[in-house]
Amino acid sequence: DGGITQSPKYLFRKEGQNVTLSCEQNLNHDAMYWYRQDPGQGLRLIYYSQIVNDFQKGDIAEGYSVSREKKESFPLTVTSAQKNPTAFYLCASSSDRYEQYFGPGTRLTVT
Amino acid sequence: GENVEQHPSTLSVQEGDSAVIKCTYSDSASNYFPWYKQELGKGPQLIIDIRSNVGEKKDQRIAVTLNKTAKHFSLHITETQPEDSAVYFCAARIGGGSNYKLTFGKGTLLTVNP
């Protein structure tokens, strides 16, 4: 099956710990994105990458880091510097500047 | 940057009725407008999109209209069914260059009552 996978579906961490969320796609898409979704809010862009070994900050990049070493993978690290890390995290990919396709999401809870 | 306003935030309709969700955008350079449907606990699913060189696009019971002069676009769902119940998001992309960024509205919770 072609698509975007995110793992795990649920993730629990203690405050002060870094955590890495996985995103993999087998759609051969060049661009990948990370969004954060909070209750009652739209999707806010954290980071995006248009090509391997290159990425740009989105609107809320503080406290997050990413890497893009392979076309298929775009992991997101939520660092201890992120003040409110509990949220639903969504990964997306696109083959051009238009349609973006989303993965199933990872719900992160930090206590 | 781009700002997208979406209304209403909640919408309740009877099965078989029509539903309309409206979005306005701020940047006249925006040229791509997708709509997404998100079911509880899942990722958003692209259901229809429109580019700025088109005024209307239809796909079965779903249609999107774009008014570039007024800078607003709308999602129309006809003959609603209970399975249409979800949160719907609009988005806009500013055109030009290598910009890949979408700006999203805050969503509309649509409830279709049987």
Side-chain angles (χ1 to χ4, degrees):
Chain A
D1 281 339
I4 303 170
T5 57
Q6 292 186 243
S7 60
K9 187 172 178 66
Y10 298 96
L11 192 52
F12 298 88
R13 281 292 183 271
K14 293 290 187 184
E15 194 173 322
Q17 294 178 337
N18 292 353
V19 58
T20 298
L21 282 60
S22 168
C23 178
E24 303 278 333
Q25 55 99 359
N26 60 4
L27 301 168
N28 200 33
H29 286 172
D30 286 317
M32 297 186 75
Y33 312 78
W34 274 106
Y35 291 89
R36 171 183 172 135
Q37 185 174 30
D38 295 285
Q41 300 292 316
L43 282 67
R44 292 184 290 168
L45 183 64
I46 304 172
Y47 269 98
Y48 64 106
S49 168
Q50 296 172 197
I51 197 168
V52 174
N53 293 322
D54 187 48
F55 49 83
Q56 288 80 39
K57 292 181 179 179
D59 300 319
I60 55 166
E62 185 176 351
Y64 300 97
S65 66
V66 293
S67 63
R68 186 84 188 277
E69 297 176 0
K70 298 187 299 182
K71 187 175 185 178
E72 303 79 17
S73 179
F74 190 40
L76 173 74
T77 297
V78 184
T79 75
S80 57
Q82 168 50 235
K83 298 193 184 312
N84 296 296
T86 294
F88 190 46
Y89 290 88
L90 289 157
C91 177
S93 70
S94 67
S95 60
D96 57 21
R97 289 173 288 160
Y98 295 100
E99 296 91 351
Q100 291 187 20
Y101 297 95
F102 284 83
T106 292
R107 187 166 298 281
L108 173 64
T109 302
V110 177
T111 57
Chain B
E2 175 66 281
N3 184 47
V4 176
E5 300 280 344
Q6 183 172 347
H7 298 282
S9 57
T10 61
L11 179 60
S12 181
V13 300
Q14 289 299 123
E15 182 176 0
D17 288 350
S18 295
V20 180
I21 303 170
K22 298 182 179 181
C23 288
T24 59
Y25 59 97
S26 59
D27 196 318
S28 58
S30 294
N31 66 357
Y32 173 63
F33 308 92
W35 285 90
Y36 287 85
K37 174 184 180 182
Q38 186 178 29
E39 297 177 348
L40 191 62
K42 297 184 178 180
Q45 175 190 4
L46 178 66
I47 57 172
I48 196 167
D49 57 9
I50 192 168
R51 303 190 187 189
S52 59
N53 58 347
V54 176
E56 182 174 359
K57 184 176 178 181
K58 190 172 181 179
D59 183 4
Q60 298 183 343
R61 296 186 297 108
I62 295 173
V64 56
T65 58
L66 171 64
N67 184 326
K68 290 172 56 180
T69 303
K71 290 190 284 187
H72 68 69
F73 57 111
S74 300
L75 177 71
H76 304 253
I77 306 174
T78 59
E79 301 173 19
T80 54
Q81 302 167 2
E83 51 265 39
D84 293 329
S85 296
V87 178
Y88 291 82
F89 291 97
C90 63
R93 186 189 75 95
I94 299 174
S98 60
N99 180 35
Y100 283 59
K101 294 174 59 176
L102 288 176
T103 300
F104 285 82
K106 292 190 175 183
T108 296
L109 174 61
L110 173 65
T111 303
V112 180
N113 302 299

